[in-house]
Amino acid sequence: MKKNILVIYYSQTGQLKDIVYNLLQPFEREDDFNVDYYNICPEKPYEFPWSNSAFFDVFPESFQQIPTAIKAPNQDFLRQEYDLVILAYQIWFLTPSIPINSFLKSEYASQILNGRKVVTVIGCRNMWAKSQEKMRKLIAEAKGELVGNVAFVDRHLNHISVITIVHWMMGGKKNRKFGVFPKPGVSDEDIDNASQFGELILSSSKSNDYTTLQKSIIEKGGVNIKSFVILMDEKANKMFNIWSKFVLKNKQSRRLKLKFFKVYLIIAIWVLSPIVYVLFLVTYLFRIKRINEKKVYYSKAN
Ligand SMILES: Cc1cc2nc3c(=O)[nH]c(=O)nc-3n(C[C@H](O)[C@H](O)[C@H](O)COP(=O)(O)O)c2cc1C
């Protein structure tokens, strides 16, 4: 009997869609597997490219994981008993993006995920550790079983990737800024080679044994995470929690508060984070044990 795989995803620019399609190629080549794709569609689509105000406007709801309305999935997706679900998502403000979060908080999530094995696939800039923690919780609430995670990131320096992603998100083209900066986002090479992780997932799926899947994903370099980025992610989560609650508290001054938040973010990225980085380097040797423990913790599937 054929095994059924459901791929759930949302992709604004098409980057995550390309990753997912390449990753699934090994399954597509097998006669014993059937792959369905469920593209999450918010009732009100998010415009791309982003205007400056629209980009910051999604911050409070993204971070506080407030869902928006999504279109109902194809009824077949709700009826089918899938052997495996691949859940591909991007990160908005250190949190699973609003469309993905909205699906996971909808009635459809438990109908599809209850009792199912789930592999998450992330396509983001580089800051995904805390977001994956939120994802673990959402999957557990829908009674799914998370068995693996692959993270595709922009491998360039953190500050370079900030410049290039803004150029991409606001300009709409995944090309080099001024012809000198690197291309934004996940590299073409990493996108093209996504199928190597599909092979690993396929092998686990064939034997129905996922116990060593995450270990093999890590060995192949599928969990890209840097210690300093984890530190920034943790610190920024605390600040984003305060800011998002502050913005949501009172509707009238929302726009003004978001302008303040933008100024805060610019200062945090360009002034505070370099200072924290120097402190991080100076104290690195004293904290290496704790840093390595964190890396192991965030790299785990569950
Ligand atoms: C509003 C917004 C916020 C984002 N915040 C983050 C973030 O906190 N961490 C991160 O690594 N990437 C972040 N990104 C990048 C996305 O995760 C993703 O890589 C990019 O939007 C392309 O995804 P796509 O496949 O939907 O086109 C953000 C993007 C947007 C639009």
Side-chain angles (χ1 to χ4, degrees):
M1 215 172 71
K2 275 196 180 205
K3 285 197 170 181
N4 288 301
I5 313 292
L6 179 65
V7 182
I8 303 175
Y9 73 98
Y10 169 80
S11 184
Q12 227 195 359
T13 69
Q15 174 178 273
L16 193 56
K17 189 175 174 191
D18 290 345
I19 292 172
V20 155
Y21 275 77
N22 286 341
L23 189 122
L24 266 295
Q25 280 316 301
F27 285 89
E28 296 281 6
R29 286 194 286 265
E30 297 275 329
D31 292 335
D32 295 345
F33 283 85
N34 169 56
V35 187
D36 291 334
Y37 293 86
Y38 164 24
N39 179 12
I40 295 167
C41 295
E43 287 282 0
K44 193 168 167 280
Y46 293 90
E47 299 278 329
F48 183 78
W50 293 82
S51 66
N52 196 43
S53 58
F55 185 87
F56 285 98
D57 196 52
V58 295
F59 159 65
E61 282 76 13
S62 291
F63 191 79
Q64 289 300 330
Q65 298 187 259
I66 298 170
T68 189
I70 56 168
K71 293 186 177 154
N74 181 331
Q75 289 298 304
D76 294 344
F77 299 159
L78 302 176
R79 277 192 289 264
Q80 180 68 258
E81 298 209 342
Y82 288 99
D83 296 279
L84 176 68
V85 175
I86 308 273
L87 186 55
Y89 77 101
Q90 58 289 97
I91 286 149
W92 289 2
F93 294 105
L94 313 177
T95 311
S97 69
I98 294 181
I100 280 288
N101 180 61
S102 304
F103 161 72
L104 285 161
K105 293 208 161 172
S106 73
E107 70 211 79
Y108 314 122
S110 56
Q111 291 179 51
I112 295 177
L113 299 185
N114 191 347
R116 307 275 161 253
K117 302 228 177 320
V118 181
V119 173
T120 46
V121 177
I122 301 171
C124 69
R125 187 175 67 80
N126 66 7
M127 218 169 261
W128 57 266
K130 292 292 285 180
S131 173
Q132 181 65 3
E133 254 197 343
K134 297 171 197 177
M135 179 54 84
R136 285 176 188 172
K137 196 163 168 267
L138 288 164
I139 293 173
E141 278 166 9
K143 306 232 169 358
E145 185 195 348
L146 185 58
V147 292
N149 176 45
V150 194
F152 293 86
V153 300
D154 182 333
R155 293 175 188 263
H156 296 101
L157 284 177
N158 188 40
H159 280 81
I160 299 285
S161 69
V162 170
I163 297 173
T164 57
I165 202 159
V166 171
H167 164 73
W168 177 27
M169 293 295 119
M170 308 281 171
K173 290 207 174 84
K174 199 180 177 187
N175 59 6
R176 290 163 180 267
K177 185 175 178 166
F178 306 136
V180 275
F181 282 94
K183 253 179 103 174
V186 179
S187 71
D188 292 342
E189 195 187 346
D190 283 348
I191 296 175
D192 291 345
N193 293 332
S195 65
Q196 60 178 321
F197 300 106
E199 296 282 0
L200 301 177
I201 302 166
L202 176 68
S203 154
S204 293
S205 185
K206 278 182 174 170
S207 58
N208 203 20
D209 178 2
Y210 293 86
T211 44
T212 57
L213 175 62
Q214 192 61 16
K215 189 170 170 279
S216 53
I217 290 173
I218 294 171
E219 279 165 7
K220 266 226 153 71
V223 179
N224 291 291
I225 195 158
K226 287 186 183 147
S227 317
F228 182 66
V229 174
I230 296 177
L231 183 78
M232 292 313 293
D233 196 344
E234 290 180 340
K235 288 198 183 306
N237 259 273
K238 289 187 185 137
M239 294 310 294
F240 280 18
N241 191 31
I242 297 170
W243 273 102
S244 54
K245 283 184 176 156
F246 170 61
V247 176
L248 288 169
K249 214 172 174 184
N250 180 343
K251 270 191 183 156
Q252 276 111 18
S253 45
R254 180 180 171 110
R255 284 177 77 100
L256 183 65
K257 287 184 203 166
L258 285 173
K259 280 188 182 151
F260 284 134
F261 172 67
K262 183 185 164 187
V263 174
Y264 155 76
L265 202 58
I266 292 170
I267 294 172
I269 293 171
W270 296 105
V271 182
L272 300 179
S273 133
I275 297 171
V276 178
Y277 188 58
V278 172
L279 291 174
F280 172 78
L281 290 180
V282 171
T283 58
Y284 187 80
L285 279 180
F286 303 104
R287 304 197 313 185
I288 194 157
K289 189 166 171 267
R290 182 86 188 99
I291 288 168
N292 285 337
E293 278 168 5
K294 280 193 179 179
K295 260 191 156 179
V296 171
Y297 169 74
Y298 287 114
S299 301
K300 280 197 301 196
N302 222 327

